[in-house]
């Protein structure tokens, strides 16, 4: 049996595959909006392992499988033997003999790599401490729908050099845009992500958020304390105060610049209400596109 294709980071797909996936996501969205029945995954099952909370990821994957005629099983460490110390490798062997595709949201990225190495079926990264590739599919679809190709555009990442930022770095290389990263000293992304994805020419680290946003086509942010960093919240609020996406920062970007946030958001922390609830924000389309882009991903991996 040949090794399955996994989606642990954006780099698991080629630039061509990713562009094709986005075109397909837009077609699937149109089909769904017409309520056209399309069930290519009848009889197929998605196992969903969640070791962290989720609203969008769980609902989009579960709904996507239902719309495709398949089924999804929600698995939390509280109710499975994974939570009682059954080795990741053993869980991967067992689950992948039963289900057709597995989605995992966990802490250490190495854990999903170990799982995938023992899985007979495709494994999808639904967020680790290091990457959030599914969110990038939705973000890139949203940009394409609103403004056309992102190729050659300038994107400002304002905030923490976190999992989302790392996936933006990979996207910069794969979708060929330039990424300005504005983060406080000590909260930069891991340089290995930049080198590992060959994105050196696509990324500039600029500590000043106003400068980073200047002339950009898209401004993106995310929470200051990610899941698992709750005890650092107070320290981070202090470090990130100057990094809130405000009207002043958005004014530095191009007049038709978009604003994105993967959500959940904290108004008054990483973003001002006037921005996330304002005319440049496309956060609801971004959230909806999780459904359509992940359906395109499931189709690519399984059909
Ligand atoms: N953006 C995102 O992944 O949201 P959830 O944590 O609600 O799944
Ligand atoms: N960086 C955030 C993203 C949530 C979707 C976190 O990891 O909590």
């Amino acid at each position: 049996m040949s090794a399955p294709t996994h989606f642990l980071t954006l780099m698991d797909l080629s630039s061509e595959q990713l562009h094709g996936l986005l075109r397909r996501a837009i077609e699937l969205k149109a089909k769904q909006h017409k309520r056209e029945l399309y069930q290519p995954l009848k009889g197929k099952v998605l196992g969903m392992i969640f070791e962290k909370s989720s609203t969008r990821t769980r609902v989009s994957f579960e709904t996507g499988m239902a719309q495709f005629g398949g089924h999804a099983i929600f698995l939390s460490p509280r109710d499975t033997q994974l939570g009682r110390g059954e080795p990741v490798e053993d869980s991967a062997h067992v689950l992948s003999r039963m289900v057709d595709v597995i989605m995992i949201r966990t802490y250490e990225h190495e854990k999903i790599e170990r799982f995938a190495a023992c899985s007979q079926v495709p494994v999808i990264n639904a967020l680790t401490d290091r990457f959030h590739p599914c969110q990038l599919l939705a973000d890139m679809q949203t940009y394409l729908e609103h403004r056309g190709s992102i190729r050659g555009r300038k994107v400002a990442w304002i905030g923490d050099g976190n999992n989302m930022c790392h996936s933006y770095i990979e996207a910069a290389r794969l979708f060929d845009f330039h990424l300005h990263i504005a983060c406080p000293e000590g909260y930069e992304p891991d340089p290995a992500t930049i080198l590992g994805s060959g994105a050196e020419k696509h990324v500039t680290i600029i500590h000043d958020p106003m400068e980073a946003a200047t002339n950009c086509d898209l401004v993106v942010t995310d929470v200051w304390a990610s899941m698992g960093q709750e005890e650092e919240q107070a320290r981070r609020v202090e470090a990130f105060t100057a990094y809130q996406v405000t009207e002043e920062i958005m004014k530095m970007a191009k007049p038709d610049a978009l604003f994105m946030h993967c959500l959940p958001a904290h108004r008054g922390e990483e973003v001002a209400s006037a921005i996330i609830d304002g005319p440049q924000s496309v956060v609801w389309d971004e959230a909806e596109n999780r459904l359509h882009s992940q359906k395109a991903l499931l189709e690519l991996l399984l059909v």
Side-chain angles (χ1 to χ4, degrees), residues 127 132 162-163 222-223 226-227 262-263:
L127 181 139
H132 195 5
N162 64 9
N163 43 12
D222 185 15
V223 292
S226 286
M227 289 182 276
C262 64
L263 307 177

Side-chain angles (χ1 to χ4, degrees), residues 106-169:
T106 189
Y107 293 86
E108 307 84 8
H109 191 74
E110 296 66 35
K111 195 165 177 180
I112 201 170
E113 290 177 335
R114 281 164 53 210
F115 191 104
C118 296
S119 174
Q120 294 180 14
V121 300
V123 174
I124 297 171
N125 179 357
L127 181 139
T128 62
D129 289 345
R130 204 165 169 76
F131 294 108
H132 195 5
C134 289
Q135 184 67 49
L136 261 292
L137 299 181
D139 288 17
M140 293 298 103
Q141 181 188 341
T142 308
Y143 192 88
L144 184 59
E145 288 172 342
H146 282 268
R147 295 285 184 267
S149 174
I150 200 162
R151 186 160 190 225
R153 302 287 185 166
K154 275 201 262 174
V155 178
W157 174 268
I158 314 276
D160 192 17
N162 64 9
N163 43 12
M164 276 295 300
C165 179
H166 288 155
S167 285
Y168 259 94
I169 289 169

Side-chain angles (χ1 to χ4, degrees), residues 10 20 38 52 67 72 76 95 111 127 129 132 142 162 168 176 189 212 226 231 235 245 257 264 269 279:
L10 282 179
Y38 174 61
K52 291 175 174 169
Q67 290 175 351
S76 89
L95 289 173
K111 195 165 177 180
L127 181 139
D129 289 345
H132 195 5
T142 308
N162 64 9
Y168 259 94
D176 197 12
S226 286
E231 74 293 346
R235 183 153 52 86
V245 179
E269 286 189 25

Side-chain angles (χ1 to χ4, degrees), residues 15 17 19 21 29 32 34 44 57 86 91 114 124 129 150 163 186 203 216 222 233 259 278-281 295:
S15 196
Q17 283 175 309
H19 283 99
L21 189 155
K29 183 175 185 174
Q32 192 53 41
K34 285 189 268 175
K44 301 266 174 153
T57 305
E86 183 166 12
S91 305
R114 281 164 53 210
I124 297 171
D129 289 345
I150 200 162
N163 43 12
V203 175
C216 278
D222 185 15
Q233 174 72 21
F259 171 77
Q280 288 169 285
S281 171
K295 283 170 74 179

